[in-house]
Amino acid sequence: MKNIFFLLIVLVLGSCNGTDREKEIVIEDNIINPVVHRIEAKQLLNVDKIGVYDTLSVFINRGTDSILYMYDSSDFTYRGACGVIGHGPEDFQFPFFLKKANDNNGIINLYDVNAAAFKDINVKKILQKEPNAIMSMKMPTMLIGSPDLHLKSDSCFIGNIDSGSGLYFIYDSNEDKINWVEFPKILQLPQGDFTVMNMNRITLNFASNRVVSAMGYYNLLFLYDSNNTLMKTVQLGDEEISPTVVDGDHLSGDNIICCRDITSSDKAVYVLEQNIREKDFEKIDNASSRIVVFDWDLKYLKTYLLPHYSLGFVYDQYHDRILYTALNPEGGTDVFFFYLNTEDKK
């Protein structure tokens, strides 16, 4: 009887462990070569992040005096620029777009990881050069360092940190409490507090509260439900890609960078995949990037093969298109877009 009881325990434990390690192999067999259009904007020099706000396309530019450049979304005519590097309440250091569920109502929501502050920009005021167009609020210490932050509700944030204690976190600002979703067992176990090899990017479905995490150094994606329970693991391609940690506290330059960025719509998840060596990251002659598309069950749909090596992108829900950046020979970036429907719009 004891032997039977022990066997049942082993089977249960093995089943739990297997669930965490099970993965679905995805072979990208629906390749699309989109018709891309270059955005003719002389002001764009070193675009890092792109945000879309109804009638505006907004670019975070790391290479000029002004941080944010705004263009009309319909024809990309220049509307204005704002934000200078500094330490004042209306200044910026290293901002990111704060992702929210609801319409921004004329406000561009940012968070500045270096200034440890939230920055809200009133578009109407900033374009008309009115005072108090930029409002600054202190950012909770536990959120500092997140490259991927979502405001789920007034007090709940979901994000990740490249050297974090888990795959991603849930932070309650009312209680000033953070909870981490543990790394899946299929990933390498952290060496002490060194976890950079498990860096990832996440996107959130605000309606279903599902989260998809795409790994930077693995060809893996993870789907989590509203209870932050792992639902599905997907591997892109037959061969496993995983990082090499040297001396327990730094990464090899020969490691392959897989996911560079991730975004989503209500219906689909878009993953920017690179498959280049980290030491070649800034080479403009790298192989073209691709955007792999899944539904919210992580079922593979299609792959957009870009004609450029891209560093970042965004989904424009107002025009059903993708905007992406690409390195150029001058050392800056160009910005392109393509429509997601089968017929190219004029």
Side-chain angles (χ1 to χ4, degrees), residues 181-236:
V181 174
E182 65 181 17
F183 293 115
K185 294 182 178 61
I186 196 173
L187 303 179
Q188 294 186 35
L189 292 175
Q191 303 293 320
D193 59 357
F194 183 78
T195 62
V196 179
M197 69 283 192
N198 290 340
M199 66 178 285
N200 64 103
R201 294 293 177 264
I202 65 169
T203 191
L204 173 65
N205 187 313
F206 289 98
S208 66
N209 291 324
R210 288 189 173 188
V211 175
V212 170
S213 165
M215 304 305 297
Y217 294 108
Y218 304 78
N219 52 337
L220 295 173
L221 294 91
F222 303 103
L223 173 64
Y224 286 81
D225 64 15
S226 58
N227 296 315
N228 301 302
T229 300
L230 180 59
M231 297 174 62
K232 189 175 182 180
T233 301
V234 164
Q235 176 178 300
L236 285 175

Side-chain angles (χ1 to χ4, degrees), residues 155-174:
S155 62
C156 181
F157 293 84
I158 295 180
N160 58 358
I161 297 175
D162 289 346
S163 57
S165 300
L167 199 64
Y168 64 92
F169 63 78
I170 302 94
Y171 172 77
D172 187 329
S173 61
N174 289 334

